[in-house]
Amino acid sequence: MTTTAQTERIMMLPSDQDSSGRTFGAEELAYVKEVLESGTLTTTKGKFGKMLEQKFAEKFEAKYAYACTSGSAAIHIAVAAINPNPGDEIVTTSITDMGALAPLMYRGAVPVFAEVDTKTLNVTAKTIEKALSPRTKAIIVTHLFGNPCEMDDIMALAKERNLPVIEDSAQTFLAKVNGKYAGTIGDIGCFSLQQGKHMTTGEGGMVVTNDDALARHMFLYINKAWGYGDANPDHYFMALNYRVSELQAAAALGQLEKLEECVQNRIRTADILTEMLQGIDGIETPKIAENASHVYWKYCLTVDDSKIEGGSVGMANLLKVKNIFSAPRYIVKPAFMCQVFQEKKTLGDSQFPFNLARSEAIDYRMENYPDTAKALHDVLVLPWNEKYTNAHVEYIAENVRAAVETLRK
Ligand SMILES: *Cc1c(COP(=O)(O)O)cnc(C)c1O
C-alpha cells in the first residue's frame, strides 16, 4: 500500500546530541590541532583560554569573562563571589537545573524558591518579592528556554533592596533586553557549554561581570584562589580548580565565532513557526516581552487541556510518532520536589544548610506553588536547532496542527 498524504511522511530533525544538529568543523579542528601541536594544554600557560575569555567578553559587551568547567561550576563561582554566610537565603526559581541549586548548598546558602509566570515559566519581580526576607543575600534569575526574564522590574527591585543579581543564562545566549545581553544586566552572568546548549564543548561554562571585585574573586575561585601574577601569591581562601583545558578553550573559541549565526538561524525559523501556528485554538506560542528578544534554546507551546484531550502529554505522544521528540511538562516536577530537598540530603547527617533555615523558607510543598504546577502542566517543549530549514519548520507546524485537530475536544 502506498500513501501520498503529507501527514504520513516522517522527517528526521537535526539533533543537538550529534553532528546532525551541531556545527563543529574545520575552524574548531584547526584550533584544537594548534593546541595539541603546541604541547601546552593548560590555560595557565596557553593562549586559547585567554583568547576565549577576551572574545567572549567582547561579544557579550561585558568587562570580564572567565571560562570554567560547567554551568554548575559557573553558578558555584558566582555564588562564592557573593560569599553568603551559612544560613543566608538566596531566592531562585522553582523551575531550573540542579546544577543551578546544588552550588548554593555547597556555599551554605538556603535556596528559597520563587513562583513563576505560567506562560514564560520565568520568575518575575512580583514572584521574587514574595520570596524575599531580611535574610536574603542574593537573587538568581534563570532565563528559561532562551526567553529572558523581565529584567527592568527585577533590577529595580534588586536595587531597592540592595541585593546582587546572578543571571543563569545557561539556556540563553545573545538574547537582548533593552539592547543589553541577558547575562550582563545583573551583577554576574552564568553560561553553560554543555552538549545541548547554544554553543558547546560537551561540558563547559562561562561567567561574566562588569564588576572589578567580583571578577577578581571569580578568577581566583576558578584557580584554587592562587594569586597568579601577584607579587606574593598565596592561596587566599578556600576554592577549587574549575579551569578548562586549552583543548576545550580552542573548541569553544570556534563555537563562539559561530554563535551569532546559530542564534540568528534559531530566531528566523522560530519566527516562521510562530507565524504558522497563529490562530489555533487551545495552544499558545511563546510570550516575549516587548523590549526583549527570545533566542530559542527550545520552542515552548502552552497547551490548554480543557480544549485538547490529554493536553501537552497527549500532544507529545502524537508528535513522537512523527519523530518530533518534545518534552511535555519539561522537568515534570519542580526542583524542590527532588529528594535532595525533600529529605535534605546534604553533608553527612547534618542537613546543612537547611538546619540553619527559617522553617517558612524551606516549606517545599507543591500546594505553595500553584503557578509552577500550572506552568509545568501546560508546557510542551519542542526541540529547536540552528540547522532547521524551512522544510523542518513546516513539518513541525503541520504535525502540531494535526495533533491539535486529532485531540480537539
Ligand atoms: C544546563 C543548565 C545548567 C547547568 O549547566 P551544566 O553545564 O550542565 O552544569 C544550569 N542552569 C540551567 C538553566 C541549565 O539549563
Side-chain angles (χ1 to χ4, degrees):
M1 194 185 85
T2 58
T3 171
T4 51
Q6 269 218 317
T7 48
E8 295 296 315
R9 182 169 62 105
I10 300 277
M11 215 181 212
M12 289 295 287
L13 294 174
S15 159
D16 60 20
Q17 298 303 299
D18 58 49
S19 60
S20 69
R22 300 278 59 172
T23 55
F24 305 116
E27 303 76 14
E28 289 85 355
L29 269 176
Y31 290 154
V32 169
K33 184 164 179 279
E34 192 180 331
V35 170
L36 287 172
E37 285 173 353
S38 77
T40 305
L41 269 61
T42 172
T43 49
T44 58
K45 302 274 168 27
K47 69 176 188 188
F48 279 96
K50 291 176 192 77
M51 267 163 64
L52 169 65
E53 291 173 346
Q54 189 196 328
K55 299 277 184 203
F56 197 94
E58 273 171 23
K59 183 70 204 165
F60 283 80
E61 296 166 10
K63 195 164 171 190
Y64 303 96
Y66 295 110
C68 60
T69 50
S70 67
S72 310
I75 298 284
H76 198 176
I77 293 157
V79 172
I82 301 301
N83 206 14
N85 280 311
D88 282 351
E89 296 171 8
I90 296 184
V91 172
T92 181
T93 172
S94 58
I95 304 179
T96 189
D97 185 273
M98 195 50 63
L101 297 171
L104 276 61
M105 283 92 85
Y106 273 109
R107 290 298 310 193
V110 175
V112 178
F113 294 96
E115 265 278 34
V116 299
D117 179 287
T118 56
K119 296 296 179 198
T120 63
L121 285 70
N122 281 337
V123 291
T124 65
K126 276 206 184 95
T127 67
I128 292 167
E129 189 164 21
K130 287 197 187 114
L132 296 177
S133 87
R135 295 183 72 177
T136 309
K137 179 80 175 183
I139 297 165
I140 300 180
V141 301
T142 304
H143 306 301
L144 274 181
F145 307 122
N147 195 11
C149 299
E150 291 168 10
M151 291 306 289
D152 289 351
D153 297 346
I154 291 171
M155 292 312 294
L157 172 67
K159 207 166 172 193
E160 188 187 302
R161 304 294 180 98
N162 198 23
L163 290 169
V165 173
I166 296 170
E167 295 175 78
D168 181 352
S169 215
Q171 304 183 356
T172 301
F173 285 70
L174 298 183
K176 279 193 166 171
V177 182
N178 278 335
K180 271 182 139 181
Y181 288 117
T184 69
I185 301 162
D187 297 78
I188 298 173
C190 299
F191 296 85
S192 166
L193 308 187
Q194 183 265 334
Q195 177 75 41
K197 303 294 162 66
H198 284 84
M199 59 179 276
T200 183
T201 51
E203 307 291 350
M206 298 292 303
V207 287
V208 300
T209 188
N210 291 315
D211 182 283
D212 297 344
L214 292 174
R216 168 76 176 161
H217 197 287
M218 294 200 293
F219 167 79
L220 289 169
Y221 203 73
I222 292 167
N223 287 287
K224 300 177 235 176
W226 179 254
Y228 284 99
D230 291 0
N232 295 302
D234 198 352
H235 293 286
Y236 301 128
F237 49 81
M238 182 178 76
L240 300 163
N241 177 355
Y242 272 148
R243 284 194 296 269
V244 296
S245 79
E246 282 282 279
L247 291 170
Q248 271 174 296
L253 186 62
Q255 287 281 285
L256 179 63
E257 289 167 359
K258 298 171 184 178
L259 182 61
E260 186 70 48
E261 194 183 347
C262 158
V263 166
Q264 292 310 324
N265 285 343
R266 283 172 178 258
I267 293 173
R268 186 186 69 78
T269 50
D271 286 347
I272 295 173
L273 184 65
T274 298
E275 188 66 36
M276 294 184 94
L277 295 181
Q278 286 315 300
I280 303 180
D281 194 28
I283 61 170
E284 274 179 55
T285 54
K287 171 182 149 190
I288 311 165
E290 242 170 59
N291 63 353
S293 60
H294 188 324
V295 292
Y296 298 99
W297 179 58
K298 306 286 180 195
Y299 187 106
C300 291
L301 293 170
T302 49
V303 183
D304 180 351
D305 70 356
S306 73
K307 294 182 172 157
I308 294 170
E309 191 68 46
S312 58
V313 173
M315 294 276 295
N317 287 339
L318 291 183
L319 292 173
K320 190 166 64 185
V321 178
K322 300 292 178 180
N323 252 343
I324 302 167
F325 299 103
S326 63
R329 304 187 175 166
Y330 188 40
I331 55 172
V332 183
K333 61 183 181 187
F336 59 76
M337 291 306 288
C338 295
Q339 274 185 41
V340 50
F341 294 109
Q342 290 297 310
E343 298 173 25
K344 319 246 173 339
K345 289 184 184 167
T346 53
L347 307 179
D349 299 324
S350 68
Q351 301 202 331
F352 176 87
F354 302 110
N355 58 334
L356 307 175
R358 294 181 299 128
S359 56
E360 319 87 80
I362 55 170
D363 187 12
Y364 300 141
R365 286 179 300 145
M366 272 321 296
E367 57 255 51
N368 296 334
Y369 294 89
D371 288 350
T372 295
K374 163 99 178 128
L376 287 173
H377 180 266
D378 290 355
V379 76
L380 179 69
V381 183
L382 295 171
W384 213 248
N385 195 271
E386 55 271 29
K387 286 191 176 171
Y388 281 3
T389 62
N390 291 18
H392 293 125
V393 180
E394 282 158 24
Y395 177 75
I396 293 169
E398 204 174 274
N399 283 295
V400 166
R401 200 175 269 280
V404 170
E405 291 320 316
T406 305
L407 299 172
R408 184 172 300 293
K409 283 185 177 172

